[in-house]
């Protein structure tokens, strides 16, 4: 893992930076590349444009590790209202959320209750809710949470991270519940005892797990989604899928708003499913630092905005 990635991930947890960086206008301008705006209405407008190009979206309201149950309740109400909005606006979009945003740090049972309410509201309009995967201290509890909710909410899925050494095993243990899985590389800073720390190993593990998921799509009709912008990996998944006869419309990719838009269009044109994850909300600082860490060259773009102000 590069030093700059480590510094940016350290910065994502630094309180002084959290309190100061979001106030700089050049940072806010640079942020626009990855986020259409702080409000749900910004995400809705961006979705309308993408839907016109045949691209559905996934909404995520930024925020994590909340410290008061009242905040979790407010987040839950926000998501319940969101499904009303999705229905009224007739937009093609799903939802993805972090469990620590609905109170996982405070109470497992209460956050499960909140999540089940959100999933039921989604189900009432034929919608779907993804559970993000956070840092490794949450892996066990998130998988346990997913097992419990999946029993009553078929319209839910969980994210797995290929940088964790345990993930192949975790997937194996989930297969008996016919999980819906979004596979990503992983965005947090993790020690080498539990995580692959060089890109080659993370990519190799990604493809190993992708192969298992492709077989599951073919044999058990599970929903598996590949959340990546890595063109080599996408190409290899397309090749593997063709080899085992997974049709294009059963292969689904998710990408983040603003990243690799040409590839997004190519996938749609070739008949694959492609969704774009749109983040919004005021609590964007740690999330944005993780986006910069994924491609430290992005820091140059932020600085360009400083020079141009
Ligand atoms: C839909 C979706 C959901 C996700 N959910 C989670 C989650 O729940 N938990 C979690 O830990 N992580 C999540 N992530 C983040 C993920 O773990 C990776 O950190 C991120 O996707 C970058 O990895 P990559 O697969 O694109 O490959 P990389 O090897 O990092 O990148 C491949 C190429 O994509 C481009 N690229 C990648 N990231 C950026 C960027 N930020 N800015 C500009 N270009 C970029 C670059 O050209 C790069 O060379 C999610 C990602 C996606 C797409």
């Amino acid at each position: 893992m590069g030093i700059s990635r480590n510094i940016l991930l350290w910065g994502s947890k630094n309180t002084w930076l959290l309190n100061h960086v979001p106030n700089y206008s050049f940072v806010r301008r640079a942020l626009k590349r990855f986020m259409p705006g702080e409000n749900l209405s910004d995400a809705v407008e961006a979705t309308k444009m993408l839907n016109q190009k045949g691209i559905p979206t996934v909404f995520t309201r930024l925020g994590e590790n909340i410290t008061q149950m009242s905040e979790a309740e407010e987040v839950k109400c926000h998501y319940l209202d969101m499904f009303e909005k999705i229905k009224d606006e007739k937009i093609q979009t799903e939802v993805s959320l972090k469990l620590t945003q609905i109170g996982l740090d405070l109470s497992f049972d209460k956050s499960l209750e909140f999540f089940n309410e959100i999933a039921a509201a989604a189900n009432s309009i034929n919608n779907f809710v993804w559970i993000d995967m956070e840092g490794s201290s949450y892996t066990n509890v998130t998988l346990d949470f997913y097992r419990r909710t999946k029993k009553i909410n078929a319209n839910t899925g969980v994210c797995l991270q290929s940088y964790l050494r345990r993930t192949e095993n975790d997937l194996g243990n989930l297969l008996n519940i016919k999980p819906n899985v979004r596979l990503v590389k992983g965005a947090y800073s993790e020690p080498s005892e539990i995580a692959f720390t060089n890109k080659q190993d993370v990519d190799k593990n990604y493809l190993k797990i992708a192969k298992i998921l492709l077989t599951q799509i073919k044999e058990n009709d599970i929903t598996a989604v590949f959340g990546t912008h890595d063109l080599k990996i996408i190409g290899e998944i397309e090749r593997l899928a063709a080899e085992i006869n997974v049709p294009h419309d059963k292969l689904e990719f998710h990408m983040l708003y603003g990243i690799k838009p040409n590839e997004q269009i190519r996938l749609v044109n070739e008949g694959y499913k492609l969704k774009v994850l749109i983040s919004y909300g005021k609590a964007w600082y740690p999330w944005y630092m993780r986006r910069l860490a994924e491609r430290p060259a992005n820091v140059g773009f932020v600085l360009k905005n400083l020079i141009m102000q």
Side-chain angles (χ1 to χ4, degrees):
M1 195 196 293
I3 295 170
S4 44
R5 180 172 189 261
N6 275 329
I7 293 171
L8 289 161
L9 289 176
W10 166 84
S12 72
K13 293 184 172 168
N14 183 279
T15 320
W16 188 89
L17 291 172
L18 164 70
N19 290 327
H20 289 80
V21 172
N23 300 325
Y24 293 116
S25 56
F26 72 95
V27 178
R28 299 174 82 87
R29 269 204 309 280
L31 174 72
K32 282 224 158 261
R33 183 177 173 187
F34 294 121
M35 199 174 103
E38 290 187 351
N39 301 313
L40 175 58
S41 55
D42 299 315
V44 169
E45 288 315 306
T47 293
K48 285 180 182 167
M49 310 247 279
L50 286 163
N51 283 178
Q52 276 172 14
K53 296 180 191 167
I55 302 178
T57 64
V58 181
F59 283 173
T60 197
R61 187 202 194 198
L62 297 171
E64 50 204 83
N65 298 110
I66 59 99
T67 54
Q68 306 284 332
M69 227 4 137
S70 55
E71 283 178 79
E73 182 126 31
E74 187 275 322
V75 172
K76 178 198 76 176
C77 293
H78 177 86
Y79 280 114
L80 296 183
D81 291 346
M82 181 192 285
F83 291 113
E84 290 293 315
K85 181 111 181 137
I86 291 172
K87 190 171 124 200
D88 292 348
E89 298 275 359
K90 299 188 175 62
I91 48 174
Q92 300 293 314
T93 195
E94 298 175 345
V95 165
S96 192
L97 57 79
K98 289 191 173 26
L99 296 182
T100 65
Q101 193 190 19
I102 52 165
L104 184 65
D105 289 331
L106 307 172
S107 160
F108 182 95
D109 289 345
K110 197 74 191 160
S111 54
L112 183 60
E113 186 188 312
F114 285 171
F115 184 86
N116 286 341
E117 275 186 65
I118 294 170
N123 193 40
S124 73
I125 61 158
N126 242 331
N127 211 292
F128 195 93
V129 188
W130 289 100
I131 298 175
D132 290 356
M133 188 57 84
E134 301 178 61
S136 59
S137 58
Y138 293 103
T139 312
N140 281 335
V141 71
T142 302
L143 295 175
D144 182 25
F145 193 103
Y146 181 58
R147 278 184 173 282
R148 303 241 206 143
T149 196
K150 176 70 172 50
K151 271 190 205 152
I152 44 175
N153 298 299
N155 61 326
T156 54
V158 70
C159 178
L160 295 179
Q161 300 154 322
S162 75
Y163 67 5
L164 291 186
R165 297 176 190 273
R166 58 179 286 171
T167 295
E168 183 183 354
N169 197 33
D170 287 338
L171 175 60
N173 290 336
L174 280 179
L175 289 181
N176 63 342
I177 61 161
K178 271 188 104 184
N180 301 306
V181 174
R182 177 178 78 212
L183 181 63
V184 302
K185 291 190 186 178
Y188 297 83
S189 176
E190 303 290 359
S192 60
E193 298 81 61
I194 60 162
F196 300 108
T197 50
N198 76 59
K199 179 172 159 56
Q200 270 178 344
D201 292 336
V202 176
D203 291 359
K204 203 166 136 201
N205 201 38
Y206 193 105
L207 284 171
K208 194 174 177 194
I209 296 164
K211 224 171 174 171
I212 302 171
L213 289 170
L214 288 168
T215 311
Q216 287 296 318
I217 296 173
K218 175 83 186 153
E219 291 175 2
N220 290 325
D221 203 28
I222 70 158
T223 298
V225 161
F226 302 99
T228 183
H229 319 92
D230 189 324
L231 302 189
K232 265 198 193 153
I233 285 193
I234 293 172
E236 189 57 16
I237 290 173
E238 288 179 77
R239 195 189 65 72
L240 288 169
E243 211 171 82
I244 58 169
N245 284 326
V246 173
H248 283 206
D249 64 354
K250 288 265 174 196
L251 200 51
E252 183 163 339
F253 296 96
H254 287 188
M255 293 191 190
L256 302 181
Y257 177 86
I259 302 181
K260 297 264 190 271
N262 294 339
E263 179 67 0
Q264 294 174 11
I265 296 291
R266 181 192 74 81
L267 289 167
V268 173
N269 288 343
E270 299 208 4
Y272 296 111
K273 283 190 183 158
L274 178 274
K275 293 184 181 142
V276 166
L277 190 141
I278 300 183
S279 300
Y280 65 92
K282 298 201 185 308
W284 47 261
Y285 172 76
W287 166 86
Y288 186 49
M289 292 300 276
R290 291 197 291 272
R291 299 295 76 80
L292 296 183
E294 280 156 7
R295 192 164 175 262
N298 286 341
V299 175
F301 180 74
V302 179
L303 294 175
K304 217 155 109 192
N305 275 274
L306 169 64
I307 295 160
M308 283 172 3
Q309 70 179 336

